[in-house]
Amino acid sequence: MQAISLTNVHIKYSEKVAVNNLSFTVQKGEIFGLLGGNGAGKTSTMRAILGLLHPQQGSILWNGENYRSDMKKKIGYLPEERGLFPKQRIREQMIYLGQLRGMSFKEANISLCRWLRHFDIIEYYGKKLEELSKGNQQKIQFIASVIHNPDLLILDEVFSGLDPVNTELLKKTILNLKDEGKTIIFSSHRMDHVEELCENICILDKSHTVLVGNLNEIKNNYPKDRIVIESFSNIENFTEIPGVTEVKCNGQRYEIKISNEQLSEYILNFALQQTKIKRFQIMDPTLNEIFISKVGQTSE
């Protein structure tokens, strides 16, 4: 079932086109990746989905319906820029935000305490936001976006400021929300996070759509031009093989770039003639490589 559907959306500020003829759909219970460099049109797209601005052309439907003001109670948004008040106590801000979305004081307080316990920060219930570390402030930002149990969640750079342990905790939390049937639009500059969480993606560049679809299908349309070999001893002379364009070596781990995927069998036999092999893998292109090939390294 489609939760969000954008069709030929066009957004313009004065003479500047921010989003040009954008179309994609997000299924209920899906984590959808919305990617692009600075100025690509991501923020304008998210604001349009939130109902904060209206496209000059095209349509945005939620569960097949046009946006209505009462729908905002079912949407959660975590912006890249922190929007909470540093000198105000956490409980006051969170309960107020819950009430703005239709919760009673008691309901908002119960939800806040549940989320604080989930992130093991219940001791910050009565503290001011400025008293927390950057990572714990980001957890509070996340709680602000989910305290009212929204059906649609828009997350922009959600892992900002988090250490690896808390990043993993938040990833599991997001996946649990997906399993509960929440629809999530996820934006990040960390392509490895997108690969872990998203099944479908849309890449924007300077207001235009450059790629949209299923991530695995997109990868299958790109050449597999990288091989990883891990061996028990050194392997010599990979660079002498015609079609090998680059070799990176770290101990007995070799990353080999090739001009033709058909070379892989020859390279394996070449390595086996010299030593035993622990690992031989033809690598899929990474999302980071695909992004750079479509957008370029300087877009950020």
Side-chain angles (χ1 to χ4, degrees), residues 8 37 41 76 91 199 255 300:
N8 302 325
R91 65 169 181 259
E199 181 178 353
E255 187 170 317
E300 296 293 301

Side-chain angles (χ1 to χ4, degrees), residues 133-270:
S133 67
K134 184 177 180 181
N136 283 326
Q137 288 184 22
Q138 186 68 1
K139 292 178 188 177
I140 299 300
Q141 287 276 155
F142 180 81
I143 292 172
S145 68
V146 297
I147 190 169
H148 56 300
N149 193 30
D151 294 329
L152 170 64
L153 192 56
I154 299 177
L155 304 176
D156 193 359
E157 298 297 339
V158 64
F159 301 117
S160 174
L162 296 180
D163 60 34
V165 172
N166 283 303
T167 296
E168 289 304 312
L169 173 60
L170 193 49
K171 282 181 189 175
K172 291 178 181 178
T173 301
I174 293 169
L175 289 170
N176 287 339
L177 290 171
K178 172 185 178 293
D179 291 341
E180 292 173 10
K182 308 300 184 188
T183 302
I184 301 168
I185 296 177
F186 178 82
S187 182
S188 176
H189 290 96
R190 286 286 304 271
M191 299 297 153
D192 53 336
H193 292 158
V194 177
E195 285 190 275
E196 283 186 70
L197 295 172
C198 301
E199 181 178 353
N200 298 290
I201 63 167
C202 175
I203 298 178
L204 302 175
D205 182 39
K206 300 174 184 176
S207 81
H208 294 277
T209 305
V210 295
L211 204 59
V212 63
N214 179 272
L215 183 53
N216 287 333
E217 292 176 2
I218 290 170
K219 285 187 173 187
N220 287 336
N221 290 326
Y222 280 77
K224 297 181 179 181
D225 60 358
R226 189 162 46 96
I227 295 171
V228 170
I229 297 177
E230 294 178 6
S231 61
F232 287 92
S233 59
N234 292 341
I235 304 174
E236 305 292 338
N237 301 324
F238 275 128
T239 54
E240 296 181 5
I241 300 174
V244 171
T245 59
E246 183 182 2
V247 178
K248 295 180 181 178
C249 177
N250 183 8
Q252 277 79 52
R253 184 184 187 279
Y254 302 86
E255 187 170 317
I256 305 165
K257 294 276 285 186
I258 55 177
S259 61
N260 188 329
E261 189 179 336
Q262 305 305 317
L263 282 170
S264 57
E265 184 176 353
Y266 180 88
I267 289 172
L268 174 60
N269 291 328
F270 181 87

Side-chain angles (χ1 to χ4, degrees), residues 34-189:
L34 182 62
L35 313 174
N38 296 329
K42 301 190 307 296
T43 300
S44 294
T45 300
M46 288 186 277
R47 287 175 177 169
I49 294 171
L50 289 163
L52 298 176
L53 59 85
H54 300 286
Q56 284 82 10
Q57 298 175 30
S59 66
I60 300 176
L61 301 180
W62 189 26
N63 295 330
E65 299 181 39
N66 290 314
Y67 179 83
R68 303 187 309 272
S69 59
D70 63 304
M71 290 179 175
K72 65 183 178 182
K73 295 180 180 179
K74 299 180 180 180
I75 302 175
Y77 177 43
L78 190 152
E80 182 177 3
E81 304 84 7
R82 290 193 171 96
L84 300 177
F85 298 103
K87 296 187 179 299
Q88 192 171 9
R89 298 192 185 279
I90 289 166
R91 65 169 181 259
E92 296 168 354
Q93 296 192 66
M94 296 298 103
I95 291 173
Y96 175 70
L97 290 173
Q99 289 177 310
L100 282 180
R101 291 169 173 84
M103 304 179 82
S104 68
F105 180 96
K106 182 179 180 181
E107 289 170 335
N109 190 54
I110 290 172
S111 180
L112 170 60
C113 291
R114 180 175 68 85
W115 278 108
L116 289 173
R117 290 191 184 96
H118 174 82
F119 289 118
D120 197 25
I121 52 174
I122 189 66
E123 67 271 21
Y124 298 138
Y125 174 81
K127 290 188 178 293
K128 297 178 181 179
L129 191 70
E130 65 182 1
E131 298 178 63
L132 278 60
S133 67
K134 184 177 180 181
N136 283 326
Q137 288 184 22
Q138 186 68 1
K139 292 178 188 177
I140 299 300
Q141 287 276 155
F142 180 81
I143 292 172
S145 68
V146 297
I147 190 169
H148 56 300
N149 193 30
D151 294 329
L152 170 64
L153 192 56
I154 299 177
L155 304 176
D156 193 359
E157 298 297 339
V158 64
F159 301 117
S160 174
L162 296 180
D163 60 34
V165 172
N166 283 303
T167 296
E168 289 304 312
L169 173 60
L170 193 49
K171 282 181 189 175
K172 291 178 181 178
T173 301
I174 293 169
L175 289 170
N176 287 339
L177 290 171
K178 172 185 178 293
D179 291 341
E180 292 173 10
K182 308 300 184 188
T183 302
I184 301 168
I185 296 177
F186 178 82
S187 182
S188 176
H189 290 96

